[in-house]
Amino acid sequence: TRLTTDVTNVQTAFMMTIRTAVRAPMMMIVSIIFALSIYPKVGLVYLISVPFLFIALGIIMVKAIKVFNKIFKKYDALNNSVQENVKAMRVVKAYVREDYEMKKFDKSAEDVRKSFERAEKIVAFNSPVMMIAMHGTTTAILFLCANAGIVGSGFNVANLSALVTYSVQLLMSFMMLSMIFVMITMAFASLKRIME
């Protein structure tokens, strides 16, 4: 398991990091600069949405790391059970312990499944948090721009469209980074097991 699943987790996290972790922060910075150059008051919206996302994703990541660390220990226990049964197959048959060993394996497998389900439920909060931030930011930008248009500051539809596009790019880059953080979370747990 450590040579296959854990190594694959680390490889996937590394590939995602070198491809996306470079592009996403650059998209964030450029989106913020361009949005502020069009309408500086939009910075107030970013001052609220960006820290909200950092805090929410940080909480999700910390909880997920704890669960993934426990999962891999349970995964090791499951593999040890299988290894014992394969090595001592004749002993198990000689003492008629097949039913006991099958129940023991089923219990371990169910425990691993429940733990993975719990971890996925925690990680699944990424999407609603991102959607709340994205739609809240878009609504706030539309509200600010509507007020600017009513006042008659020369704000037009093209500027509004550009601001909404930049906010979506900014939040999409956050979403990409959050997916990377989930993979990195799993990879750190796998990396510890590989180093052992």
Side-chain angles (χ1 to χ4, degrees), residues 15 20 25 28 30 32 37 49 71 80-81 87 97-98 106 132 136 138 149 162-163 172 174 187 191 196:
M15 285 189 305
T20 310
M28 286 171 46
V30 170
I32 290 173
S37 69
S49 64
I71 285 174
N80 286 339
S81 174
K87 280 187 176 178
R97 302 289 287 173
E98 289 131 344
D106 287 343
I132 288 169
T138 304
L163 281 175
M172 281 304 197
F174 261 110
L191 194 61
E196 286 173 3

Side-chain angles (χ1 to χ4, degrees), residues 28-190:
M28 286 171 46
I29 292 167
V30 170
S31 297
I32 290 173
I33 290 169
F34 284 169
L36 291 175
S37 69
I38 292 173
Y39 190 54
K41 285 188 179 178
V42 83
L44 297 173
V45 177
Y46 291 150
L47 280 175
I48 296 169
S49 64
V50 171
F52 166 74
L53 282 173
F54 269 123
I55 291 167
L57 295 178
I59 291 169
I60 290 169
M61 226 179 85
V62 167
K63 289 188 175 189
I65 286 173
K66 290 177 184 175
V67 175
F68 279 120
N69 284 335
K70 289 177 185 174
I71 285 174
F72 286 122
K73 288 177 185 172
K74 292 177 182 179
Y75 208 53
D76 281 341
L78 178 69
N79 288 332
N80 286 339
S81 174
V82 171
Q83 185 179 6
E84 285 173 6
N85 286 325
V86 169
K87 280 187 176 178
M89 193 181 307
R90 291 184 177 162
V91 175
V92 170
K93 284 185 177 183
Y95 289 102
V96 192
R97 302 289 287 173
E98 289 131 344
D99 290 338
Y100 170 78
E101 291 298 331
M102 286 172 64
K103 286 177 186 174
K104 183 174 145 186
F105 174 80
D106 287 343
K107 184 182 174 193
S108 295
E110 183 64 18
D111 200 23
V112 169
R113 186 197 64 78
K114 284 181 181 175
S115 297
F116 265 112
E117 189 176 308
R118 185 170 168 240
E120 290 300 325
K121 284 180 181 176
I122 292 170
V123 170
F125 276 106
N126 268 352
S127 185
V129 166
M130 291 302 300
M131 289 301 136
I132 288 169
M134 187 178 298
H135 294 304
T137 302
T138 304
T139 304
I141 288 171
L142 291 173
F143 179 76
L144 284 173
C145 293
N147 283 342
I150 291 169
V151 172
S153 62
F155 201 81
N156 57 27
V157 177
N159 290 343
L160 176 64
S161 178
L163 281 175
V164 170
T165 303
Y166 291 139
S167 71
V168 168
Q169 281 184 336
L170 170 73
L171 296 170
M172 281 304 197
S173 59
F174 261 110
M175 188 175 269
M176 287 191 279
L177 286 175
S178 70
M179 291 187 322
I180 290 172
F181 286 138
V182 170
M183 281 305 302
I184 287 174
T185 301
M186 287 180 66
F188 272 122
S190 293

